[in-house]
């Protein structure tokens, strides 16, 4: 029996969608436990590309069951659109997709407040959110003012919604912003619930029983450790726990039932939105990584910031998430570089440090300490055997293992399922 948590070990966009897709073959359930449709998990199956935001990518595999857990914030209209797309492509959701009745709901006023919040922040303090209403929804959850999927099924829902719309409209009006239209929101939600209501249930006993039967669960993390509300580059983070702990609190499956943690790690680093990024490149190398790696946001289309591999960040993921193996992705993007620097530590105000600082201003002052690795100048895409990799590429992988103390179990050399090398311990 093995329940596996998969997390992003950088700032998101590590290629989790593809790894989850590959691992799904070995599990019975795929569970989302945090985040919302700020996530964009790109999966390429049989040459066909699909980006999933809320529905776990296990839905693309016949017979696998998927859960949107209590820790997720769910935009009902966005979910209905995604279900329609998945269904159009021939994947059944009835009896396979289960939505927690405890999941909090993203309403249009949350999106409006997200946009206003960003617009009103001082220059330099804007987060660069995806504007999907994620922060305001988690704020309402913490403030105990949110509505959950179970509330949408309650006969009192119209009154509950009206009270919220009135309150949020007072806030929006005070900002001089457009307000939400209660009747339109109610009608949209009621329409969405004709699709969603049959999928909503108490997912706690569902998953508990699955665990008791010895079925295997893959927890599909969204975003990455450096965007975690507690361990990331606060306040330039998302509003949920993208670290492995979030898998337990966001699903109701307790930590004692978790067995492995796979950290998805890109062979270089990217970040979308604002905030410190010590190995960021502002030169032709950065542009080249963006071009070859097609580093544009799956959710927003924004160009991603790019930089070299950062072992300080990877070690931060190891310490906070208990990573047991890496899935190292997009190594092929580095095929064309003559030398490839790896950041092994930072220099902060003249001192060498090995850990990511809490203080955001200190993080912004960190200068990477690089070690230069020779490039391999050979295409690696299409290689299906680790032994066939160029020696320099093998040394690059080995150095990452050495610097982090965690083995690479999966190596990805291209977007398709077929360009994935399974090297070691997998969910058994
Ligand atoms: P929010 O989650 O929309 O509030 O955005 C907060 C920060 O997290 C912004 O910098 C976003 O760009 C970033 N972010 C949120 N979701 C993702 C993701 O799935 N991948 C990468 N960055 C993300």
């Amino acid at each position: 029996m093995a329940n596996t948590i998969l997390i992003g070990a950088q700032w998101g966009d590590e290629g989790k969608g593809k790894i989850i897709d590959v691992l799904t073959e070995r599990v019975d359930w795929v569970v989302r436990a945090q985040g919302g449709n700020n996530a964009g998990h790109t999966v390429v199956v049989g040459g066909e590309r699909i980006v999933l935001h809320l529905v776990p990518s296990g839905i693309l595999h016949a017979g696998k069951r998927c859960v949107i857990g209590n820790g997720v914030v769910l935009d009902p209209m966005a979910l209905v659109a995604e279900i329609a797309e998945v269904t159009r492509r021939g994947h059944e959701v009835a009896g396979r997709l289960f939505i927690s009745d405890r999941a909090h709901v993203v309403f249009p006023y949350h999106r409006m407040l997200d946009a206003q919040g960003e617009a009103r922040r001082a220059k330099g303090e804007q987060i660069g959110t995806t504007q999907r209403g994620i922060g305001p929804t988690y704020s309402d959850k913490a403030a105990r003012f949110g509505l959950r999927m179970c509330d949408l099924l309650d006969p009192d829902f119209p009154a509950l919604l009206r009270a919220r719309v009135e309150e949020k409209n007072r806030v929006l009006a005070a900002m001089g912003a457009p307000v939400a239209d209660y009747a339109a929101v109610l009608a949209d939600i009621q329409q969405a619930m004709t699709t969603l209501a049959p999928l909503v249930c108490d997912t706690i006993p569902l998953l508990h029983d699955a665990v008791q039967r010895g079925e295997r669960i893959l927890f599909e993390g969204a975003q990455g450790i450096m965007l975690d509300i507690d361990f990331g580059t606060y306040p330039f983070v998302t509003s949920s726990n993208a670290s492995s702990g979030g898998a337990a609190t966001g699903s109701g499956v307790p930590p004692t039932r978790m067995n492995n943690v796979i950290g998805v790690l890109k062979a270089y680093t990217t970040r979308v939105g604002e905030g410190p990024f010590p190995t960021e490149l502002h030169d032709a190398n950065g542009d080249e990584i963006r071009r070859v790696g097609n580093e544009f946001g799956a959710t927003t289309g924004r160009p991603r910031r790019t930089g070299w591999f950062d072992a300080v960040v990877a070690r931060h993921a190891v310490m906070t998430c208990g990573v047991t193996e890496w899935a190292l992705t997009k190594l092929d993007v580095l095929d064309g570089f003559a030398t490839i620097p790896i950041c092994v530590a930072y220099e902060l105000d003249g001192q060498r440090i090995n850990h990511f600082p809490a203080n955001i201003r200190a993080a912004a002052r960190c200068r990477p300490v690089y070690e230069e690795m020779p490039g391999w100048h050979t295409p690696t895409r299409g290689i299906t055997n680790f032994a066939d990799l160029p020696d320099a590429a093998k040394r690059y992988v080995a150095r990452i293992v050495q610097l982090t103390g965690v083995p690479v179990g999966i190596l990805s050399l291209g977007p398709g399922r077929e360009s994935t090398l399974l090297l070691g311990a997998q969910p058994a």
Side-chain angles (χ1 to χ4, degrees), residues 11-14 16 36-41 114 118 127-136 222-224 227 235-240 271-275 299-300 302 304:
W11 276 278
D13 308 315
E14 297 91 353
K16 293 182 291 294
N37 61 334
N38 50 347
H41 290 168
D114 197 353
E118 280 287 85
I127 297 167
T129 74
T130 58
Q131 311 244 330
R132 298 298 189 272
I134 305 299
Q223 292 88 43
L227 292 170
F236 299 99
V237 291
T238 191
S239 299
S240 66
R271 160 160 220 178
V272 197
E274 302 307 317
T299 299
T300 58
R302 290 180 286 180
R304 295 178 185 144

Side-chain angles (χ1 to χ4, degrees), residues 29-52:
W29 296 80
V30 183
V31 176
R32 266 289 296 273
Q34 45 75 225
N37 61 334
N38 50 347
H41 290 168
T42 307
V43 187
V44 179
V45 186
E48 204 187 2
R49 183 174 181 273
I50 181 164
V51 184
L52 296 169

